[in-house]
Amino acid sequence: MGFFTSVFFSVCFIFFSLFMILALDAFVINRKRLDEAKKQTKLLEDLTNK
């Protein structure tokens, strides 16, 4: 019983870890996209104010 329990928990941990890696990567990508949008907005505001 110990072997199957350890295999089960290992597989669960692997799936959880992969999910967390994907989630953190998505957060990083969305933050970069937001930073780029802020930069573009500032440039457009500077152009329209001139």
Side-chain angles (χ1 to χ4, degrees):
M1 172 133 176
F3 175 74
F4 294 112
T5 304
S6 64
V7 170
F8 173 73
F9 282 121
S10 296
V11 170
C12 288
F13 178 74
I14 289 169
F15 282 128
F16 179 73
S17 299
L18 290 175
F19 173 75
M20 290 304 293
I21 289 170
L22 290 174
L24 289 173
D25 189 45
F27 288 139
V28 169
I29 289 172
N30 284 334
R31 182 172 177 145
K32 285 182 182 178
R33 187 180 304 160
L34 179 64
D35 290 342
E36 187 65 29
K38 285 181 180 179
K39 211 183 307 181
Q40 289 177 4
T41 302
K42 185 177 182 320
L43 288 172
L44 285 172
E45 287 175 351
D46 289 344
L47 285 174
T48 56
N49 289 336
K50 287 184 177 179

